[in-house]
Amino acid sequence: MLDLRGFLRKVREDGDLQELEQVDWDLELGTLTELLAEKGGPALLFDKFKGYPEGYRVATNVCGTVRRFATAIGMPPDTGRLDIIKKWRAVDFKPVKPVEVKTGPVMENIHLGNDVNLYEFPVPRYHEHDGGRYIGTGVAVIMRDPDEGGVNVGVQRGMVHDEKTLGLYISPGKHNAIIRQKYWARGESCPVVMDFGPAPILFLSAASHVPWGISEFDWAGYLANEPIEVVRGEITGLPVPANSEIAIEGEYLPPEVESRIEGPLGEWTGYYGGGERREPVVRVKALYHRGNPILFGAPPMKPPNYAFAVQVRTTPFLWNDLEKAGVRGIKSVWEHEAGGGRMITIISLKQDHGGHARQAGLAVVGSHGGGYMSKLVIVVDEDIDPTDLNEVLWAVVTRANFDTSVDIIKGCWGSRLDPALPPDKREKGDFTHSVMLIDACKPFYWRHLFPPVNKASEELRTKIIEKWRDKIP
Ligand SMILES: Cc1cc2nc3c(=O)[nH]c(=O)nc-3n(C[C@H](O)[C@H](O)[C@H](O)COP(=O)(O)O)c2cc1C
Ligand SMILES: [Mn+2]
């Protein structure tokens, strides 16, 4: 399994790593990350921050290209996007459980109690209006369900409040939000481990909508075909990934015990939509790190979201959910990057009965895999490539009739991060939104009368290409 530094070594060999020195953690690192990500540039590794020892590093743009994404999950670098999605559907999934080891590289440096200082690392402030320095972006947040015993891992942002305190924002409905509530309902704080330099494959798994009941550790182990090694945390008893760069153990306090202003943070929607508000905090009890630690930076950016070259967070799970719901004939599913991999869902299918397209579209809204923050759902026929917005929009304007092909579904699973959430709803804590569902398939009952597409047939194209090969670029 490639840990973060093993991964960076590999991409360096591939000529795909840019190493930078003397960059300011305050905005300069974040802006360079954005500028290079926009160009599909290399992974970035920053060192020699002013006021920090050499070797205290930050890596960004880690999984920002399909090539690096494939490398991170142990697939050949030239694997295609759809093949990665198919792998992530995990049709042959078997949990590969983590193995406990006595110690590991993350325990090279141990700071307990008063010795904990989160400012030991060059924690970046990424965007101009961020309310603080975010140590947790490329993070794995680890909790154990107190009733069911399962370990869940999610990616949730962590802002440094002071040397020993972190703000941790978790969106309602997320697995870690369900787990923390179980502790808080008993008046207890929730034990937590936060890994700030996880193996990329663990980060990617934690960011994915792996179904409830499956641990992201087992998922990452399955993808890597090799178990993740963990050390049992002395304080929480939770697994600490042994090959992590930097990790903490702490107590996530009930909000009535302590809450502090968290945010704003430039988010994946492309806005500072969540604003600032009081959020519960983690009191850090222990800090572990490797020698010359690397902080994993995955700052959210305006879509297309470059932290994820392939939208595995939702797409494969949604695809599985649709099939579980009995939707047949799906050719492919795509969460378009213009919607940050969540807000624009496109399903391509072969219609086999009237109402088939609506069935598929409504099942998106009703699924765990794709329901959250889905705002525009478009269903297209099987001849449309869902990854190509030109094709999709062409289908929308040529196959849909907007008086009958569009539905608005109200009260859906949304987020306070939604920039379009009206202020009064935000105030009331109502984060739901409406979804627009467009059936852009040929109307089923008169599809046989629909005019044919005027692009040359595959057969004719092949014939002409063969004859005129040297004239075709
Ligand atoms: C870079 C990045 C930052 C994220 N930040 C947050 C966050 O601050 N809060 C949150 O609830 N989800 C955040 N997410 C999304 C969750 O990680 C994602 O929904 C995940 O599936 C949650 O885990 P779960 O499936 O176990 O609930 C973030 C994802 C990424 C990739
Ligand atoms: Mn989960």
Side-chain angles (χ1 to χ4, degrees), residues 134 136-139 141 151-158 168-180 203-212 214 216 262 265 267-268 277 296-301 305 307-308 313-314 317 342 368 372 413 415 417:
Y134 276 83
T137 54
V139 61
V141 180
V151 172
N152 189 70
V153 194
V155 176
Q156 279 105 18
R157 71 202 209 191
L168 174 58
Y169 167 70
I170 309 180
S171 182
K174 296 305 166 97
H175 295 163
N176 280 343
I178 296 166
I179 292 173
R180 70 178 178 187
F203 164 72
L204 295 169
S205 302
S208 287
H209 285 197
V210 175
W212 176 260
I214 297 178
E216 287 78 0
E262 196 271 349
L265 174 69
E267 287 147 1
W268 62 273
R277 78 242 143 242
F296 189 155
M301 284 181 253
N305 188 333
F308 271 81
R313 282 178 290 180
T314 46
F317 303 101
R342 292 190 194 283
H368 183 79
Y372 172 68
W413 185 17
S415 168
L417 309 191

Side-chain angles (χ1 to χ4, degrees), residues 201-394:
I201 204 166
L202 181 60
F203 164 72
L204 295 169
S205 302
S208 287
H209 285 197
V210 175
W212 176 260
I214 297 178
S215 172
E216 287 78 0
F217 274 117
D218 302 359
W219 186 269
Y222 155 81
L223 287 174
N225 214 6
E226 179 186 351
I228 296 208
E229 292 189 342
V230 295
V231 180
R232 201 179 150 81
E234 292 269 330
I235 291 158
T236 57
L238 286 165
V240 181
N243 64 2
S244 157
E245 295 284 337
I246 305 166
I248 61 108
E249 287 191 89
E251 283 180 353
Y252 196 14
L253 302 178
E256 60 280 9
V257 175
E258 188 171 344
S259 291
R260 295 200 206 175
I261 296 291
E262 196 271 349
L265 174 69
E267 287 147 1
W268 62 273
T269 57
Y271 296 87
Y272 301 90
E276 58 167 44
R277 78 242 143 242
R278 299 191 91 74
E279 287 291 335
V281 301
V282 173
R283 214 167 264 162
V284 181
K285 301 289 178 188
L287 167 64
Y288 313 111
H289 67 87
R290 293 171 85 151
N292 296 328
I294 307 172
L295 180 67
F296 189 155
M301 284 181 253
K302 178 171 167 279
N305 188 333
Y306 300 99
F308 271 81
V310 189
Q311 300 300 339
V312 290
R313 282 178 290 180
T314 46
T315 316
F317 303 101
L318 169 60
W319 195 332
N320 288 350
D321 283 355
L322 293 175
E323 291 192 349
K324 266 185 253 158
V327 180
R328 288 154 28 88
I330 297 173
K331 191 191 134 207
S332 102
V333 177
W334 197 253
E335 295 276 1
H336 202 277
E337 42 279 14
R342 292 190 194 283
M343 295 184 286
I344 305 172
T345 307
I346 303 146
I347 298 170
S348 157
L349 56 69
K350 181 160 174 44
Q351 301 183 79
D352 67 12
H353 55 83
H356 192 175
R358 283 301 206 291
Q359 179 197 28
L362 288 167
V364 174
V365 180
S367 73
H368 183 79
Y372 172 68
M373 271 301 268
S374 162
K375 296 188 83 175
L376 173 61
V377 178
I378 305 175
V379 187
V380 293
D381 291 303
E382 78 279 13
D383 61 321
I384 302 296
D385 173 1
T387 67
D388 181 342
L389 272 193
N390 278 333
E391 283 218 352
V392 171
L393 290 178
W394 171 71

Side-chain angles (χ1 to χ4, degrees), residues 50-73:
K50 200 170 156 203
Y52 289 86
E54 182 176 347
Y56 274 64
R57 294 163 291 169
V58 180
T60 61
N61 287 351
V62 171
C63 302
T65 62
V66 181
R67 197 175 167 80
R68 290 201 296 277
F69 195 106
T71 303
I73 61 168

Side-chain angles (χ1 to χ4, degrees), residues 13 144 165 200 235 254 268 274 297 357 361 436:
E13 282 161 19
R144 188 189 302 280
T165 317
I235 291 158
W268 62 273
M436 178 157 77

Side-chain angles (χ1 to χ4, degrees), residues 24 28 190 218 246 345 382 395-397 444 447 462:
D24 198 334
E28 210 178 359
C190 169
D218 302 359
I246 305 166
T345 307
E382 78 279 13
V396 167
V397 293
F444 187 78
R447 69 197 185 291
T462 311

Side-chain angles (χ1 to χ4, degrees), residues 417-439:
L417 309 191
D418 182 356
L421 194 66
D424 57 316
K425 280 184 74 174
R426 188 179 294 278
E427 189 114 321
K428 282 188 284 190
D430 177 359
F431 307 136
T432 59
H433 66 262
S434 300
V435 176
M436 178 157 77
L437 171 55
I438 305 179
D439 173 355

